Amino acid sequence: FIPLRLMGHLVEAEVRWHQGEKMAELIIFENGETKSIKIPSNSLEVLYGDDIFYLDSPAFLEDNVFYVPVRFVVELLGKQVRWVDETRTIEITHKNN
């Protein structure tokens, strides 16, 4: 899991929080299009455009920070993530790298 605001920065997306629905939203601008990923807190469902995807573990809010599963969001955006044991870090790259 990674804080959503950090994820937004890494994938160059705007992050919005919808307090009434307890839902975060990533707004992605690419190739002249605007895409939206809506991630409710404590739910396995994620809405990407008109499609519903399911998480293995729900995103959650803790101490005013919203955490999302890094692999799911990154791969949904057409990128790949890998864990580097030696440095205990993740690398996010385009799939063609």
Side-chain angles (χ1 to χ4, degrees):
F1 287 87
I2 187 172
L4 184 64
R5 292 223 180 261
L6 175 58
M7 171 63 69
H9 176 74
L10 293 173
V11 298
E12 299 177 352
E14 180 182 332
V15 176
R16 296 181 185 164
W17 175 250
H18 302 280
Q19 181 63 33
E21 297 137 325
K22 299 280 189 236
M23 177 180 63
E25 182 177 16
L26 273 177
I27 308 292
I28 300 103
F29 307 98
E30 65 181 15
N31 302 327
E33 288 187 53
T34 301
K35 298 178 182 177
S36 169
I37 301 173
K38 294 181 179 177
I39 309 168
S41 182
N42 298 314
S43 173
L44 294 176
E45 291 185 357
V46 171
L47 186 62
Y48 182 45
D50 293 330
D51 297 320
I52 295 175
F53 293 87
Y54 295 93
L55 302 170
D56 292 331
S57 299
F60 61 93
L61 184 64
E62 184 175 294
D63 297 327
N64 292 320
V65 177
F66 193 71
Y67 293 91
V68 295
V70 66
R71 183 171 305 281
F72 175 81
V73 175
V74 167
E75 289 179 355
L76 191 62
L77 296 173
K79 301 179 187 320
Q80 62 187 11
V81 63
R82 101 179 162 90
W83 175 255
V84 181
D85 262 339
E86 302 81 44
T87 58
R88 301 189 52 75
T89 59
I90 59 170
E91 289 181 354
I92 298 172
T93 59
H94 292 280
K95 283 197 174 188
N96 58 358
N97 287 354

